[in-house]
Amino acid sequence: MKRIHLTLPLLVATASMAFAQDASLYEDVANPNSSFVRVVDASASVAVIQSASFDRVEKGVTPYVVIDGATEVSITSGETTATEAIQPATFYSFVVGADGASALVVDKITRNPAQADVTFYNLSDIALADLYVPQANAIAIEGVAPSTGGAVALKAPLTLDFEIRDGETVVATVPAVDLKRREGVAIVLSGTGGSYTATVTPNALAKQP
């Protein structure tokens, strides 16, 4: 089958700061100033965000937890515990890398109804990892350092293969990712010493009690 050749600018949609209230992935939240926090940790099987507990962390990514009215959030992921300052109306991922270093990363989630939000996290020992789109022959997210992440909004619906690269070297692949409007995915690179794995998880919002 002939490959589709697209340029990345045609795939990237302009980010909108207005949150789409009818977004199918994210339920309507009563407080428009709510913050959203999740854990991204490939080595943790359990996590706690404020009072929300997760006893099985699928592929190292929890759903986002809605935080109302707080200026800081307490997080436990495996053996790592932290209290982090947060801002209203912002998405965050608490990222724990291969060396145990942690950081609270701002996720640039657009929630535009014509886009799919793709986030990428480097939990490996690679100094700068790129998320590459072979169909577009272009880098979607460039230069992600260990224990950090990046984000891009791509037009949807679309099915894309992704490669994770260390310079010109492909270290892991995530084939046939189904990008849907009003939704998004988290791609996580993990591993050390030349052995790497990439996983993809749909973005999700934790159900409120």
Side-chain angles (χ1 to χ4, degrees):
M1 180 179 295
K2 184 177 180 181
R3 295 177 67 90
I4 299 174
H5 294 282
L6 300 172
T7 61
L8 190 61
L10 293 178
L11 300 178
V12 177
T14 302
S16 170
M17 293 305 293
F19 287 171
Q21 293 304 309
D22 61 348
S24 62
L25 174 63
Y26 307 108
E27 296 178 354
D28 290 341
V29 178
N31 182 359
N33 290 321
S34 295
S35 299
F36 304 83
V37 181
R38 70 179 173 188
V39 165
V40 179
D41 184 351
S43 64
S45 58
V46 296
V48 179
I49 302 169
Q50 222 66 326
S51 60
S53 299
F54 301 91
D55 57 9
R56 188 174 65 177
V57 181
E58 297 287 347
K59 298 181 181 178
V61 181
T62 73
Y64 286 104
V65 173
V66 180
I67 308 295
D68 283 331
T71 58
E72 62 182 26
V73 58
S74 60
I75 304 168
T76 299
S77 179
E79 300 299 319
T80 303
T81 299
T83 299
E84 300 281 355
I86 57 175
Q87 298 294 320
T90 306
F91 285 81
Y92 295 95
S93 288
F94 182 73
V95 180
V96 181
D99 61 355
S102 62
L104 190 66
V105 175
V106 174
D107 293 330
K108 295 181 180 180
I109 301 295
T110 66
R111 298 204 332 184
N112 187 295
Q115 299 175 350
D117 290 297
V118 178
T119 50
F120 171 54
Y121 306 95
N122 180 4
L123 309 188
S124 76
D125 59 358
I126 293 175
L128 293 173
D130 299 329
L131 185 67
Y132 186 84
V133 182
Q135 288 101 318
N137 192 29
I139 296 173
I141 302 175
E142 184 175 15
V144 177
S147 304
T148 65
V152 65
L154 301 180
K155 291 183 179 180
L158 193 64
T159 300
L160 291 176
D161 300 332
F162 289 96
E163 296 176 348
I164 294 86
R165 295 188 171 192
D166 178 7
E168 297 298 320
T169 303
V170 177
V171 298
T173 61
V174 183
V177 177
D178 189 16
L179 301 178
K180 300 177 181 179
R181 291 174 180 172
R182 304 175 183 175
E183 299 189 14
V185 297
I187 297 174
V188 177
L189 174 68
S190 58
T192 59
S195 178
Y196 303 104
T197 302
T199 60
V200 60
T201 306
N203 289 337
L205 190 68
K207 295 292 185 181
Q208 296 298 298

